Amino acid sequence: MKWVYKIFFLIFLLIAVASAAGSLFFYSRINETYSDADYELRNRPKYHFSLIINDESDVYWENFKKGALKAAADYNVALEINLVADPGINSKTTEYVHIATKSKVDGIIVSGENTDEYKKALKAAAEAGINIVVGVVEGIESDRLFFVGTNNWEFFKNAAMLVQRLDDGITPIDLAVILPSERADGLQDEDNSKQYLTRALASVGINQANRVYRSSELLGAEDQIRAILIEFPSTDVIICTNAKDTVAAAHVIVERNLVGRVKIIGTDLTEEIISYVSKGVIYGVIDRKGYRVGYQSVEALFESIEGTFQSSFRDIKVDVYTQENIGQYGKE
């Protein structure tokens, strides 16, 4: 009978070893997965935050995510990243806010279109006792709501000041603005963006009509810019509100041999954009500092829960670069 006990003991030992090995493997996989992708985990995270972020390849959101993950590590919080992509980005963003509310997370970081459904979702989350950091929202009063990002007025005022440098006072500027397609980029909707730009231009002495377009994933940014230049050949300034459209505009201007004739005012910085600014293909760029916004969003949410965050509005100032100072980028 002794051999039977030995067999049972051996089987039990093998199961125990296999279980231990499996647990170690599973634990290592969790750390590997969440440290690089959806979460940033350390020993016993103090809070659990939900970051609802645009699933765009644009540099702003890439840098935003990097900054948020770095802050999550520094402040020892678990950061759950929920990626939202077209189509239906507005409804998906709202849905993720509802999910985060039902999950009873400690905080939410989100930047969505300012729709009634979105505002209702934020209001419900705040009423549930969740602190929220937003990129833009209007019409909600709550002491649990905090803003971190670039002020829309400041963005368009800086764009207008760049346009002012191009105004010779003789020939009216024919200006086109390219807004991103329906996605959460921290900018207002088309009508509000046009109002901001018109007011900003007027504030620097430029009173004129301007054309505002939504970029289309179906048409493509480069094709849309080509279409604008064909329909309105007098266009001499194009303002782009993200890095992807800025690069697309530069490609079209070079392709059509319009460098110097059509000025591009772009947004955010990549190595390619820096090169185009240096060469004079892009006249100027407004840097919204996505990394800093992401970092300070987590920081502000943490401090608001801890009771140390004093202001409900944290404005991240933009930097403006032209051919004259682009060499200073990264040196400040």
Side-chain angles (χ1 to χ4, degrees), residues 70-92:
K70 180 61 169 65
D74 289 348
Y75 287 92
N76 193 26
V77 299
L79 185 67
E80 175 187 348
I81 298 178
N82 300 289
L83 301 177
V84 184
D86 289 326
I89 189 168
N90 294 335
S91 60
K92 288 180 181 178

Side-chain angles (χ1 to χ4, degrees), residues 182 189 213 215 227:
E182 285 188 314
D189 60 34
Y213 302 87
S215 60

